[in-house]
Structures are given as structure tokens and as C-alpha cells.
Amino acid sequence: MDVANNAGQSFIMQLPDDCLSLIFDKFDSSVDRESFGLTCHRVLHIQNTNRKSLEFGCSFSQYKSLVETGVNINAFILDKLIKRFRQLESLSLCGCVNLPDLGLIQLENFGSKLHTLYLDCCFKVTDMGLSSVAKGCPSLSFVSLYRCSISDNGLELLARSCLFLKDLNLEWCSRITDSGVCSVTNNCRILRAIKISHCEKIKGVGFKGCSQTLTCLEADFCKLEPEGIMGIISGGGLEYLNVSSLSWCIRGDGLRAIGCGLGTNIRILNFRLCRSIGDETIIEISKGCPLLKEWNLSLCSEIGLAGWESIGMHCNNIEKLHVNGCRGLCDRGLLALRDGCKRLSDIYITRCQQVSSLAITLFKVARWDVEIKLEEVMCIMPKHFFRP
């Protein structure tokens, strides 16, 4: 038996590396791949060179208890791993809260094939660490920097080196301003999606002259200005826009620009908690965004009858409408939505105190094809964005 085993191993060792790589690719489970790598040093080398992704075992989909649940990966360990797996295309360091800039330095030598990089909640990664990424990872198309301590300088280095960047997450990067955004929009001309949520120093003007490829923007809890709104839609290709929770930082009239010619491609708008938006803004947007399919107007308390009538008359492609907590929606407003909005399939309606139960009943009878949902949805961003 031992002779047979030795003969089999000897035969395998005579195969060239490309054949061994093909064998490795046929393994479906990670257990089989790890077992394959334990055969001998040569096969371990094949395993190392064929590994395309590296992800540490902490998921921050909920982003809670960050310090307590953070992954304890130091610079020495990461240095060894990056040297070992030199063909990585995806690297996730989410939750490595104590990882210093020094831990990313080997990316300068072995990051050329990297397409996807997650640095979410890497609190100690600064511009210095981002400079290593910029030097060694020119092929990056997806970068997530959620809560990283970076500034405009680091973002500019990244933007100038990673010209193929498509998706960028800057959520809670509180030091980023419009200068950093401008570097991204000027250099990354195939950018399609960007998150700037909770970046209070960004006013929006940095987006002026952005590429038409920019189709998705998450900008909730930002202090956007009217000129910034003009910059955001200046590319003309925007399809999804989230500017929710702007009630305390921008006058509603600033959003009227969305309906003035450059928002014609917009399919989904999230205006949740934009309390200062009035009828004039709603009328302008309902007329100027003919492709609009979903509109979240929950808690937009200043929209009156004229606004609801305009939506019913002009939003001919709208399929989903969120009106939770809209104090200005009354029976006549609901009637306008019922008689218009011919493609409406779902309406989210709760806490509308001026809407009577009779009006709801009549709506159900007249529009049996529309589902009335007694729930509130916070996120309406299409799932295909920010998916590497």
C-alpha cells in the first residue's frame, strides 16, 4: 500500500505547475483546498499562488460593538499573509481596529492584482496607509473606507493612482471635504457609485463636472448646499440619489434643481426626513424626472395638496411611493395618487393623520392592484450597487 501511495505521489509531482493549478481550481470546498495544500511544499505554493481572496472572520454588516468585536490583526501577521498570497484580487480587513498604516506597506509590492479592498473600521489607518494602497494597487475598482481616519490628501493619492475606481464608500469619513471629492470625480472618470453619508464637511460642490457614469450617490445626513445639489446632478447620469435627513441643513428649494433638466435619468429618490421640502420642489421634480420609479417622501411634512396632485398627474412611471408620516397628505391628496400614478404597485402609508379610513378603503377598491404596506423602509438603494 505504501509503495502504491508513493508511486501516486511521485506521479503527481511530475505534473507541471499549470496542471496542478487546474486540479486546485476544481476543488469546491475550502476544506479540500486546504488539504490539497498540506500535501507538500510545492503544492502549498500552488495553493498560495491561486488564492484570490482573503477575508478575516469579522463581519460588520451591523457596525456595532466595534472595539469589542474587532479583529486583532497586527502589522506583522498581515505582512506575512500578503507576502504569502501574492495573487490576491480581494482583501477584506473589516474590523481590524488596531491595524496600523505599517500593516499595509506590503501592498506596495504585492497589490497589483487587487480589485476589491475593504478597510471598514480600520480606525488607525490614515493617509500614510492609503498612500501604500495608492502606490501598489492601481487596479482597484471597489474601495470601502467606512470610518477610516483619512483626509483629502490621502483620498487624492488614491484617486490619482486608481483610475479604474467604480465604487467608493466614504461613509463617516468626517475629515473629507469637497476638495477630496473633486479629486475623485476629476480622476476616476468611470466612477459609478459613491457613499458620503455623515460626511458633514462635504457641501456637494466637489461633484461639479462629474462623469456621466456616476449613477448612484448616498448622501444622507450631509450638509449639502443648493450649489452642491447642482454639482451632484451635473453629470446627467444619476439614477439613484439619497439625500435623506437634510431637514436641518438645507432649504427645500435647493433640491428643486433635480427637476430642472439634469435629473431626467433618475429612477429612485430618497427624501426621507427632508422636512422643509414644499410643493414647489415636488412639482418641479415630478415634472422633470419622467423615469422616476420609486420615491421616498416619508416624514416630508410640508408637502401639501398641490404636491400630491402633481405626483399623481406627472409621475406616470412611479411604482413605489413612501408617504409614512406625511402630515400634509389628506383624503384629496390620496385621491390624486389613486387616480394618477397608473403604474403604482406599492404604497407605504402609516401615521398619516389626515387620511381617513374611508379614503384608504376607497383606494383599495379602486386600485386593487396596489399593495398598501403598513411598514416603513429605511433603505431603498438597489442591491447591485456596492457589490464587487
Side-chain angles (χ1 to χ4, degrees):
M1 180 68 73
D2 291 339
V3 174
N5 285 340
N6 291 335
Q9 290 179 1
S10 177
F11 171 74
I12 291 175
M13 290 304 101
Q14 293 177 13
L15 294 174
D17 285 355
D18 56 347
C19 289
L20 291 176
S21 295
L22 289 172
I23 294 173
F24 179 81
D25 288 338
K26 294 298 182 180
F27 293 124
D28 295 327
S29 71
S30 58
V31 175
D32 290 340
R33 287 171 178 257
E34 294 299 329
S35 299
F36 180 78
L38 294 174
T39 307
C40 66
H41 285 293
R42 183 180 170 215
V43 175
L44 179 62
H45 174 72
I46 297 296
Q47 180 193 30
N48 292 342
T49 55
N50 278 273
R51 183 152 192 163
K52 303 301 182 184
S53 65
L54 182 61
E55 179 178 352
F56 293 95
C58 187
S59 172
F60 280 98
S61 59
Q62 301 299 321
Y63 296 114
K64 59 183 179 180
S65 304
L66 300 179
V67 177
E68 291 81 358
T69 60
V71 181
N72 188 22
I73 298 295
N74 58 38
F76 176 78
I77 294 175
L78 187 58
D79 183 273
K80 294 294 184 182
L81 289 172
I82 294 176
K83 284 181 179 178
R84 177 182 172 184
F85 305 120
R86 301 186 178 189
Q87 304 296 318
L88 289 178
E89 296 178 1
S90 175
L91 175 61
S92 176
L93 299 172
C94 292
C96 296
V97 296
N98 294 313
L99 181 70
D101 292 325
L102 186 63
L104 300 176
I105 197 167
Q106 284 301 333
L107 289 179
E108 295 183 18
N109 302 315
F110 305 113
S112 61
K113 294 184 181 298
L114 209 60
H115 295 158
T116 301
L117 178 63
Y118 289 90
L119 294 175
D120 297 1
C121 303
C122 293
F123 300 136
K124 295 185 178 180
V125 170
T126 67
D127 291 345
M128 185 178 298
L130 211 55
S131 69
S132 295
V133 174
K135 290 177 184 177
C137 309
S139 300
L140 281 172
S141 61
F142 182 104
V143 177
S144 185
L145 300 170
Y146 176 88
R147 284 189 181 272
C148 285
S149 301
I150 61 169
S151 72
D152 292 338
N153 293 331
L155 190 57
E156 182 177 0
L157 290 173
L158 185 73
R160 289 189 173 186
S161 298
C162 304
L163 304 181
F164 302 104
L165 200 59
K166 291 183 178 180
D167 291 40
L168 177 62
N169 184 2
L170 298 173
E171 188 174 0
W172 281 105
C173 292
S174 58
R175 299 171 63 193
I176 299 298
T177 72
D178 284 287
S179 177
V181 172
C182 186
S183 298
V184 173
T185 56
N186 285 343
N187 291 284
C188 306
R189 300 302 292 178
I190 60 172
L191 187 72
R192 68 161 193 161
I194 183 170
K195 286 186 181 182
I196 59 169
S197 304
H198 297 276
C199 295
E200 295 185 358
K201 293 183 179 180
I202 296 177
K203 309 303 180 185
V205 293
F207 287 97
K208 186 176 181 180
C210 61
S211 171
Q212 192 175 7
T213 61
L214 183 62
T215 55
C216 170
L217 176 64
E218 284 264 295
D220 47 316
F221 293 95
C222 289
K223 294 185 177 181
L224 301 176
E225 297 178 350
E227 186 180 354
I229 296 296
M230 290 291 293
I232 286 170
I233 63 173
S234 62
L238 208 61
E239 296 180 5
Y240 166 81
L241 176 62
N242 177 7
V243 290
S244 59
S245 301
L246 291 178
S247 58
W248 42 273
C249 57
I250 186 175
R251 294 185 61 81
D253 289 343
L255 297 175
R256 290 182 63 184
I258 296 172
C260 294
L262 293 174
T264 54
N265 283 317
I266 291 179
R267 270 76 167 173
I268 302 175
L269 281 174
N270 192 344
F271 284 2
R272 185 181 182 275
L273 263 173
C274 293
R275 296 185 185 277
S276 60
I277 292 179
D279 290 340
E280 291 184 359
T281 299
I282 296 300
I283 292 170
E284 200 74 42
I285 294 175
S286 61
K287 290 180 178 179
C289 300
L291 300 181
L292 194 59
K293 290 187 175 181
E294 184 169 5
W295 201 352
N296 191 341
L297 295 170
S298 295
L299 298 169
C300 294
S301 54
E302 298 301 313
I303 303 175
L305 180 59
W308 301 117
E309 287 179 339
S310 183
I311 292 173
M313 183 179 299
H314 300 290
C315 293
N316 297 317
N317 288 305
I318 197 117
E319 296 174 1
K320 297 183 179 181
L321 188 62
H322 305 250
V323 298
N324 307 85
C326 290
R327 293 183 301 181
L329 179 62
C330 60
D331 289 356
R332 289 179 62 190
L334 187 62
L335 176 63
L337 298 178
R338 187 192 80 185
D339 293 342
C341 302
K342 298 302 182 184
R343 295 191 178 182
L344 190 65
S345 61
D346 300 278
I347 184 168
Y348 297 80
I349 179 168
T350 58
R351 308 188 315 279
C352 295
Q353 298 176 357
Q354 294 194 60
V355 176
S356 66
S357 57
L358 176 60
I360 294 289
T361 301
L362 292 175
F363 187 99
K364 291 179 178 179
V365 172
R367 295 297 301 270
W368 54 268
D369 56 327
V370 177
E371 185 175 357
I372 295 180
K373 296 190 174 182
L374 304 178
E375 60 185 278
E376 187 167 359
V377 178
M378 307 293 285
C379 178
I380 59 174
M381 182 180 69
K383 294 182 178 179
H384 63 273
F385 290 118
F386 297 100
R387 295 289 178 91

